[in-house]
Structures are given as C-alpha cells and as structure tokens.
Amino acid sequence: MSKIHIIGALVGALIFNSTNVSAEETLWGWLADFQRTKEIKPATDNQYLKECGECHFAYQPGLLPARSWDQMMAANELKNHFGVNAELDKNTSQAILNYLVDNSAEKSYYKRSRKIALGIAEGEVPLRITEVRYIKRKHKDIPEKMVKGNNDVKSLSFCNKCHTQADKGVFDEDTVSIPNYPDWDD
Amino acid sequence: MKCNIRFIIIASACLMALQGVVYAGESAQDIAIPSITSAYTNGSKSYMLALNEVSSSPQKEGAVNAAQAAEFEPATFSGSNAHKYLGLGTLAMVVATALAPKPSEDAVTQAQKDEQESSMHARFGRAAAALAAATVTTGLLAHWDDFHFEDGLSDPDNMHALLGTVGALAMLAAVSQAPEGGHAGIGAAGGVAMAVAVKLTW
C-alpha cells in the first residue's frame, strides 16, 4: 500500500464528507452525511411550531407516514382534532401539510422514522402516534401506573413528559426520565 | 487485488474516523445549547411553543397542555454508550491493523514466529477482534428489544445486528487463520461489514 493510496483515501473522504453534509433527501446524500440520524428529524418549521405547537407537543413529521398527515390535516378532520376544533385558514393548513408530508416517516432517512414507516401496513392510516406499531412495541413494557396512573404523565401522547430531549427528536432510552419514578429501568 | 482490498479498508476506515470527528463537533454544539430554563430559550418563542410552556401563548379551547420534562442529565455511562464506543474502537483498530507494518509471512524458526505474533499488525488485529466481540455482546445486552426477526432485513436494526455479528465473526476467523494467506481478505470483509453496520444506525 503506497502512501499515495492512503493520502488519496483521506482526501477523498474529506471531499466526500464536506460536500454532502446537509443532504438527507437522497440515498447518496444519506450515505455521505455523517451527522447522526439514528433518531427523528427535529421539527423546525416555524409555522408548524407556532400553529400546532402552541396547543400540544410539536410531534415531529417523521413520526407518521404522509397519508396519516394528509388525513389529519383535512379540513373536516381539523374541525374535530382529537376532540378540539383546530381549524386553520386554507393557506396555513396547506403550508403545514406540505411540511409534514415532505418530512414524513417514509421520506426520512432517520432510523426511527424508517422503522416507523416499515412497521405500518400498506393501506393503514394511523392518526394517533401511540397506535403506530413501532411506538406501541417500544412502550409495551412500561407499566400502566407509570403512565395513565401517573398524574405527571397521564398519557403516552405527552412524549416530552418522559423523553427529556423529545423537542430535539431524541427518544433514546438514555434520555428517558419518568416523573415520580426516578429509578425506572426498562 | 490485495492492494485494492487494503485501499477499500482504509477508505472505509477514513470515513468512519470522520464520523467520529463530526460526532465530537456535534457534542460540542450540544454543550453550547443553553438549558430549557435559560434566558436564551425563555426569549425564543419557537422553543417555547415547541415545548408547550404554559406561559408561551394562550391555549385553544379544550386543548391539553403538555409541559416539558424536568431538567434531566442522561447518564454518561450506559449500555448503549458502551456499545457505541466499543464499535468505534473496533473500527479504529481495523484501521490500525491495516496500516501497521506486516511481518514476514515466511516464518520458519521459533524466533521468527514469535516476532510475527508480537508484531504491531498482529496485536492490533487481535485487539480489533476482541473489541468486535465485546461490541456484539454489549449490543445484544443493551439493544435486545430493538431488533425483531419478523421485521426482516429491511429493518435497519436487524441489518445492523446481522452485519455487526458477521463482521465480528469474520475478524475472529481472520485472527485465528493468521498468518496464513487469505486472512487479510476475511479481516477486511469483517471491517467493511462492521463499518456498514455502524452507518446503518448512526
């Protein structure tokens, strides 16, 4: 192995790395992207954060497939959005829908999103993230007393009650802290 | 052919090494981000909205507030962290093995065989295989519920586990076969399998 080969490999790796860091949209972009993508892509759209995040945790688009967001953002659905009228004007609703669909689970290269998308059967349109197979399986061993019976949690829907870095899209077990159960261990 | 394999190992290892650099930078950025209760985040509406802080904005009728979790510091040492660093250490050892000067393959006398055994190449190779075995073991322990055979090989965790295990076995085989000819190819294949496994779930 000559020194030229080694230097060539290093320079090639550097160029490969520096030119494609932010590309996540394509397979090649993902391969060349050295940023960590094992979690869920954080929600960054200001309009989405404002309109949706003011009432509930701003669930990352990568937590559901596009068809779920499509149905959820339909005008008649928003009138009764899990028991609440969450109607938005047409332009705002469309802009948010575009953001959600563009970053939905099946379009993301983030690992948990890929697992979410793979776990949903074709034709299935889950509207509740807690009903997604992957999410259900990840929480199946959590005793009810720690969630429903826990006054500081109450429901799995409140991701950020226990996932301390949920706003960054990090749902790693190491970052879980269940209120009132400091010694919890999976 | 042999030269090409070496070139592929080094190129793969360089990419993996760069991942480590980027990750270090990422960690440094994380440290710089102020805590949830700091003045910076309190003044940032987007953060407040995303976190659903009560004071950030009026709620819509019937909406349920979801306040953020209390400040929490993840443990520095955990099973998944151990698995991660052992895996990166394995890749570093694979690179070191490939780069270390190779001893002569034609050892006849006991002294020459001892020299082969104690060469840097052999030591790095054994370390890579040992770290690979430790990586697989900690992965099985820390991520037991992350892979399910029924999800098939399209599941990134399943593929990660499979490639990681195959890679570790290949490295162990390469070490046990050395210094016979052909062990380099097996070791290289193991290193590449490990590198791909890391990338899949990075």
Side-chain angles (χ1 to χ4, degrees):
Chain A
M1 169 69 65
S2 70
K3 285 180 184 173
I4 294 172
H5 280 141
I6 298 168
I7 294 166
L10 279 168
V11 172
L14 275 171
I15 294 169
F16 200 48
N17 185 28
S18 61
T19 55
N20 296 287
V21 165
S22 61
E24 194 230 337
E25 292 77 16
T26 65
L27 177 65
W28 291 111
W30 171 73
L31 280 171
D33 189 348
F34 298 124
Q35 295 288 340
R36 298 208 74 181
T37 55
K38 67 173 284 203
E39 295 290 336
I40 301 268
K41 189 175 185 180
T44 51
D45 183 80
N46 286 334
Q47 200 167 23
Y48 172 67
L49 293 172
K50 178 179 179 295
E51 298 294 344
C52 304
E54 75 174 2
C55 296
H56 57 72
F57 172 71
Y59 301 101
Q60 287 82 6
L63 287 165
L64 283 175
R67 56 186 182 274
S68 296
W69 293 122
D70 216 18
Q71 186 168 322
M72 197 183 296
M73 292 301 291
N76 57 332
E77 279 287 336
L78 284 178
K79 276 183 189 169
N80 184 13
H81 184 65
F82 303 106
V84 177
N85 185 342
E87 277 183 294
L88 296 165
D89 67 72
K90 201 175 175 182
N91 289 341
T92 306
S93 172
Q94 189 58 50
I96 290 174
L97 174 61
N98 290 344
Y99 167 68
L100 293 170
V101 168
D102 288 347
N103 294 279
S104 57
E106 71 270 45
K107 292 182 182 171
S108 176
Y109 282 107
Y110 279 65
K111 189 190 86 172
R112 290 195 202 281
S113 291
R114 281 186 282 151
K115 286 179 75 85
I116 285 170
L118 286 167
I120 299 172
E122 207 173 318
E124 192 186 345
V125 188
L127 292 181
R128 289 181 185 276
I129 292 161
T130 51
E131 286 173 4
V132 170
R133 188 169 72 125
Y134 173 69
I135 304 290
K136 278 167 84 172
R137 194 155 66 182
K138 290 298 284 182
H139 296 88
K140 72 179 188 332
D141 293 331
I142 311 290
E144 207 163 271
K145 65 177 182 181
M146 294 187 186
V147 183
K148 284 184 184 172
N150 188 338
N151 281 336
D152 291 332
V153 181
K154 290 182 180 172
S155 167
L156 285 179
S157 316
F158 304 130
C159 308
N160 55 345
K161 292 280 187 175
C162 304
H163 291 281
T164 58
Q165 295 181 15
D167 57 314
K168 295 175 189 167
V170 176
F171 294 89
D172 193 279
E173 197 177 299
D174 288 349
T175 62
V176 170
S177 171
I178 300 178
N180 305 318
Y181 291 91
D183 298 325
W184 168 83
D185 190 23
D186 191 14
Chain B
M1 180 64 188
K2 202 171 180 181
C3 188
N4 281 343
I5 291 170
R6 284 185 191 161
F7 185 78
I8 290 166
I9 303 170
I10 291 175
S12 305
C14 289
L15 289 171
M16 289 305 119
L18 284 166
Q19 282 192 341
V21 173
V22 172
Y23 177 67
E26 198 181 29
S27 300
Q29 283 175 350
D30 287 347
I31 292 165
I33 292 173
S35 65
I36 293 166
T37 51
S38 72
Y40 172 75
T41 47
N42 282 339
S44 168
K45 197 176 180 188
S46 63
Y47 264 82
M48 294 169 78
L49 292 172
L51 292 166
N52 294 297
E53 288 184 3
V54 180
S55 59
S56 65
S57 62
Q59 288 194 353
K60 287 185 180 174
E61 191 184 346
V64 181
N65 175 57
Q68 81 283 4
E71 287 284 352
F72 171 76
E73 280 297 317
T76 309
F77 187 82
S78 66
S80 58
N81 273 347
H83 176 62
K84 179 174 71 183
Y85 292 121
L86 283 167
L88 293 174
T90 304
L91 294 177
M93 282 299 120
V94 168
V95 179
T97 309
L99 292 176
K102 317 292 179 291
S104 166
E105 288 182 7
D106 308 318
V108 180
T109 63
Q110 188 56 44
Q112 285 172 325
K113 285 178 183 172
D114 289 346
E115 197 179 320
Q116 258 182 351
E117 285 280 307
S118 59
S119 67
M120 288 309 285
H121 173 77
R123 286 179 183 183
F124 283 139
R126 285 195 293 269
L131 283 173
T135 304
V136 171
T137 307
T138 51
L140 285 171
L141 293 171
H143 297 286
W144 181 251
D145 64 341
D146 284 333
F147 52 93
H148 303 268
F149 295 121
E150 66 267 26
D151 292 344
L153 289 179
S154 53
D155 182 282
D157 284 326
N158 284 359
M159 189 55 105
H160 171 89
L162 178 71
L163 285 173
T165 306
V166 168
L169 289 173
M171 285 184 213
L172 290 166
V175 167
S176 68
Q177 195 178 325
E180 301 296 319
H183 80 273
I186 299 170
V192 171
M194 272 272 178
V196 175
V198 169
K199 176 58 186 169
L200 281 174
T201 55
W202 182 245

